[in-house]
């Protein structure tokens, strides 16, 4: 039996195309954080997802379904359809242009079952399956996402992205800010409770003095 790394197969790909948002989106600029300026963070990330054939999708073209779903998703996540620009002081900015993301339809004369169960990690023949569109390797002025679909009875989707790293870093930064905010609120709450206790104590003492004065009077 052939090992996964020795499998021989051919991949046929259609011409790359841009998938734009299904509706018009705002044209605006989103400045990224200073963390994103670090050169060691400026690289593209490749990942893959395998989807088993769904009998309920019989008669539907999965490539068309996925392409339409991406277009609909980009309406809400329109910065992904933009391009990264370099602003003053080398700051990175996402220009929400609505140009779209790269999309490639591909067929391979192999099935996922041939790679074994479970599928080895890292995925064998990854470089043969993944296609890098010429001119899209950079970070600036290039599409932020590249989708490549499909293989055999499973749908194989590769996501080629730099913005994913940025989002993860932004989410981490947001989490740290939330923790800091909670810490500040906790301290303020303690101060408020302490102040209220002092006021309550003073009012209580004042009330006792009034009662004593009334009795002595």
């Amino acid at each position: 039996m052939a090992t996964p790394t020795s499998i021989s197969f051919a991949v046929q790909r259609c011409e790359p195309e841009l998938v734009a948002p299904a509706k018009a989106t705002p044209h605006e600029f989103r400045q990224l954080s200073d963390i994103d300026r670090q050169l060691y963070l400026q690289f593209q990330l490749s990942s893959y997802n395998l989807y088993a054939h769904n009998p309920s999708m019989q008669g539907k073209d999965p490539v068309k379904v996925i392409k339409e779903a991406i277009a609909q998703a980009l309406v809400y996540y329109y910065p992904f359809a933009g391009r990264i620009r370099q602003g003053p002081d080398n700051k990175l900015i996402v220009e929400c242009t609505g140009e779209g993301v790269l999309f490639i339809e591909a067929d391979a004369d192999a099935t996922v079952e041939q790679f074994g169960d479970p599928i080895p990690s890292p995925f064998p023949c990854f470089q043969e399956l993944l296609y890098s569109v010429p001119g899209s390797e950079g970070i600036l002025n290039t599409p932020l996402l590249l989708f490549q679909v499909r293989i055999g009875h499973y749908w194989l989707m590769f996501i080629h992205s730099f913005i994913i790293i940025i989002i993860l870093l932004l989410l981490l930064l947001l989490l740290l800010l939330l923790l800091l905010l909670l810490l500040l609120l906790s301290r303020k709450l303690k101060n408020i409770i302490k102040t209220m206790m002092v006021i309550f104590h003073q009012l209580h003492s004042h009330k006792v003095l009034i009662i004593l004065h009334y009795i002595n009077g």
Side-chain angles (χ1 to χ4, degrees):
M1 180 178 179
T3 59
T5 54
S6 65
I7 293 175
S8 178
F9 59 90
V11 179
Q12 295 182 341
R13 297 181 178 88
C14 297
E15 286 295 317
E17 59 180 303
L18 286 173
V19 177
K23 299 178 183 178
T25 55
H27 181 265
E28 56 190 24
F29 294 86
R30 299 290 185 91
Q31 184 168 308
L32 302 178
S33 70
D34 289 335
I35 297 177
D36 304 312
R37 289 197 301 167
Q38 308 304 315
L39 293 177
Y40 65 88
L41 293 176
Q42 296 183 19
F43 61 90
Q44 295 181 340
L45 177 68
S46 300
S47 64
Y48 61 88
N49 299 282
L50 299 172
Y51 301 94
H53 174 67
N54 188 342
S56 66
M57 298 296 291
Q58 189 69 30
K60 295 182 180 180
D61 181 3
V63 174
K64 182 180 179 181
V65 171
I66 294 174
K67 190 187 300 184
E68 291 177 351
I70 292 172
Q72 292 292 339
L74 288 175
V75 174
Y76 302 97
Y77 300 96
Y78 57 88
F80 284 102
R83 300 292 182 266
I84 294 179
R85 314 293 191 200
Q86 193 165 38
D89 301 323
N90 294 324
K91 289 185 177 294
L92 296 180
I93 301 171
V94 176
E95 181 182 0
C96 302
T97 61
E99 293 177 71
V101 301
L102 278 173
F103 186 91
I104 304 174
E105 178 183 353
D107 282 299
D109 56 356
T111 63
V112 175
E113 288 84 354
Q114 291 177 255
F115 293 98
D117 186 16
I119 295 175
S121 180
F123 191 82
C125 313
F126 186 82
Q127 295 301 325
E128 288 84 348
L129 294 173
L130 181 63
Y131 179 65
S132 181
V133 178
S136 68
E137 299 88 356
I139 300 302
L140 300 176
N141 309 314
T142 60
L144 300 181
L145 292 174
L146 184 154
F147 293 88
Q148 177 178 301
V149 186
R150 72 183 175 114
I151 241 190
H153 297 293
Y154 286 73
W155 303 111
L156 179 62
M157 183 163 62
F158 289 100
I159 303 177
H160 200 101
S161 174
F162 164 72
I163 201 69
I164 292 177
I165 301 173
I166 295 174
I167 290 177
L168 291 176
L169 290 173
L170 290 177
L171 288 175
L172 179 61
L173 181 61
L174 179 61
L175 179 61
L176 291 175
L177 290 175
L178 287 175
L179 290 175
L180 180 60
L181 180 61
L182 288 174
L183 180 61
L184 292 174
L185 289 175
S186 177
R187 289 183 178 179
K188 286 185 177 181
L189 185 60
K190 287 181 179 178
N191 291 334
I192 292 173
I193 293 174
K194 185 177 180 180
T195 303
M196 291 179 64
M197 291 296 293
V198 171
I199 295 173
F200 177 78
H201 179 72
Q202 290 177 346
L203 289 174
H204 183 72
S205 300
H206 184 64
K207 181 179 179 181
V208 171
L209 289 173
I210 291 175
I211 293 173
L212 290 173
H213 178 74
Y214 176 78
I215 294 173
N216 292 332

